[in-house]
Amino acid sequence: MTNKEKYKILCETEGSRIPLFLHYWWMEAVCQGKHWDVALAYAKGHTSNDNPSDIVGALPYLVGKKVCFRYVLQPQLTQFNGPWFRNDYASLSLQKYVCDQLVDHLQGLHLAYFDQHFSPQITNWLPFYWRQFKQTTRYTYRIPDIRNLDAVFAAFDRDKRQKPILKIADQLMLDTALSSAEFADFHHRYWASRGQKDLLSKDFICRITQAAINHRQGAIFALRNEQHQLQAARFVVWDSNSAYALLSALNPEGHDGGTSPLLFWKIMQHLAQNVADKETPFAFDFEGSMDSGIEYSYRLYGAQQTPFFRITKINSLLFFHLMQLK
């Protein structure tokens, strides 16, 4: 049994305990046509075997190859990969035990370069530091809990978020029936209207949105005016702890300044209905950004700066310099 076959069974067994971006089905969707695999760690006293129940840690990765160089990078639309630990292996000492096995696997790949983002929940990267990996702190922006909608809206900036939302709230209706193909076409037309090429193909957008919808971990939310014209659309995914805003597009022919904030607000209202009874917080992640203008925009929603680790290792300076030139 291959590592991926064992990992598929693990994901089916662990279910919601494995974050969305690490799930087998997600990696299959975003890496289609490319090669991905997974490093596995086993419980103490067990060696590599075909029993997925002995797996206590995992690290899925996308591996690429250029000429004679192999490298690991983040898949498209995937906020993080990094390690997963079974609950009873979450202590610092056991994390080192797990990470040592994961790094041993990565070292065996003879990579020229490694570059992954770790989940904000991963706050201990020392086992990687001890193996000569480097770390850069990056930031995303999150509303830490959307279960209390009154508190969420109260944290919105009054003049630049609350007022624009209230101004047009009755003019635009939420639509959750937009198809993947319609969204992909709308997304491409939006970027074309800005004089830019969409970095994602329509096939990719259709594949990943439909995969998330099929697994009931994602949806396309849209706003239409009274004439049923599409004004904005956003693709959002979620797991048991957080929702993530991945893709968005606005009417290429023009839109009100409050359209995007209103869509964010209606999405939060929709999601909050399903998590109101959760005993633990449910976050809304705006997916970055390190760009100063985008960062400011997200702070206007009361989103909190949330650090996460970018972990890298350069084993070939030649390959690294070639990447920099590209």
Side-chain angles (χ1 to χ4, degrees):
M1 190 181 296
T2 67
N3 277 12
K4 284 176 67 173
E5 290 171 336
K6 286 183 269 188
Y7 189 60
K8 182 179 181 181
I9 296 173
L10 177 73
C11 288
E12 292 169 349
T13 303
E14 293 290 332
S16 63
R17 286 186 288 272
I18 294 182
L20 166 74
F21 297 119
L22 272 63
H23 247 281
Y24 180 91
W25 72 262
W26 178 268
M27 292 296 290
E28 280 286 280
V30 295
C31 299
Q32 183 173 308
K34 303 174 183 177
H35 177 66
W36 78 274
D37 211 330
V38 57
L40 300 175
Y42 296 88
K44 289 190 173 183
H46 296 265
T47 57
S48 175
N49 55 50
D50 288 340
N51 188 354
S53 65
D54 293 333
I55 297 171
V56 295
L59 187 151
Y61 57 87
L62 169 65
V63 60
K65 186 175 181 180
K66 287 187 181 296
V67 193
C68 59
F69 298 110
R70 302 181 77 193
Y71 56 92
V72 165
L73 295 175
Q74 284 294 123
Q76 289 178 305
L77 279 194
T78 303
Q79 187 191 47
F80 56 81
N81 285 138
W84 167 84
F85 305 98
R86 204 174 70 187
N87 285 345
D88 53 341
Y89 272 71
S91 68
L92 292 182
S93 60
L94 291 177
Q95 283 184 14
K96 182 182 185 304
Y97 172 80
V98 169
C99 288
D100 281 345
Q101 293 184 64
L102 301 179
V103 173
D104 285 344
H105 175 99
L106 295 173
Q107 300 286 62
L109 298 176
H110 304 293
L111 298 171
Y113 182 64
F114 176 90
D115 188 344
Q116 274 196 349
H117 297 167
F118 286 9
S119 163
Q121 278 71 44
I122 302 297
T123 58
N124 172 31
W125 74 282
L126 269 177
F128 288 83
Y129 171 80
W130 289 324
R131 301 290 289 273
Q132 286 73 57
F133 287 76
K134 303 297 183 183
Q135 183 270 130
T136 303
T137 301
R138 297 180 65 85
Y139 297 98
T140 186
Y141 282 79
R142 286 184 165 188
I143 296 174
D145 192 1
I146 64 170
R147 291 176 300 170
N148 185 338
L149 287 172
D150 290 339
V152 171
F153 193 75
F156 286 12
D157 183 273
R158 183 172 179 271
D159 292 325
K160 297 183 178 180
R161 289 295 179 262
Q162 291 183 0
K163 285 184 176 180
I165 287 172
L166 295 174
K167 177 184 175 182
I168 62 171
D170 296 331
Q171 301 173 24
L172 301 176
M173 300 297 108
L174 185 66
D175 176 10
T176 58
L178 192 69
S179 73
S180 294
E182 290 172 321
F183 176 71
D185 181 67
F186 187 62
H187 196 266
H188 270 241
R189 287 193 290 112
Y190 167 68
W191 284 103
S193 72
R194 301 182 63 179
Q196 300 180 42
K197 181 181 178 180
D198 197 330
L199 297 178
L200 303 174
S201 71
K202 288 186 180 181
D203 285 345
F204 179 86
I205 294 174
C206 287
R207 182 171 71 250
I208 193 60
T209 52
Q210 199 57 53
I213 292 169
N214 291 345
H215 284 85
R216 298 183 179 180
Q217 286 190 259
I220 299 168
F221 298 92
L223 288 179
R224 295 185 183 275
N225 60 19
E226 295 175 349
Q227 290 75 43
H228 204 64
Q229 296 169 324
L230 188 59
Q231 299 301 299
R234 183 164 281 117
F235 172 51
V236 177
V237 296
W238 57 80
D239 54 27
S240 60
N241 297 311
S242 179
Y244 304 87
L246 294 188
L247 293 173
S248 63
L250 295 166
N251 185 350
E253 298 174 1
H255 53 273
D256 186 278
T259 302
S260 183
L262 176 61
L263 181 53
F264 268 129
W265 175 231
K266 285 188 175 290
I267 291 171
M268 291 177 203
Q269 290 177 307
H270 183 93
L271 294 174
Q273 296 175 8
N274 299 320
V275 298
D277 296 330
K278 276 178 59 67
E279 296 181 357
T280 55
F282 186 81
F284 188 90
D285 194 317
F286 288 87
E287 280 282 286
S289 165
M290 301 292 283
D291 180 276
S292 61
I294 299 175
E295 183 268 355
Y296 171 70
S297 173
Y298 291 157
R299 278 195 288 112
L300 294 176
Y301 294 96
Q304 296 179 8
Q305 187 184 79
T306 306
F308 64 92
F309 297 144
R310 178 186 180 186
I311 304 297
T312 59
K313 189 175 185 182
I314 302 169
N315 293 320
S316 169
L317 286 174
L318 174 59
F319 178 76
F320 180 73
H321 290 314
L322 289 173
M323 285 188 61
Q324 297 296 101
L325 289 174
K326 180 181 178 181

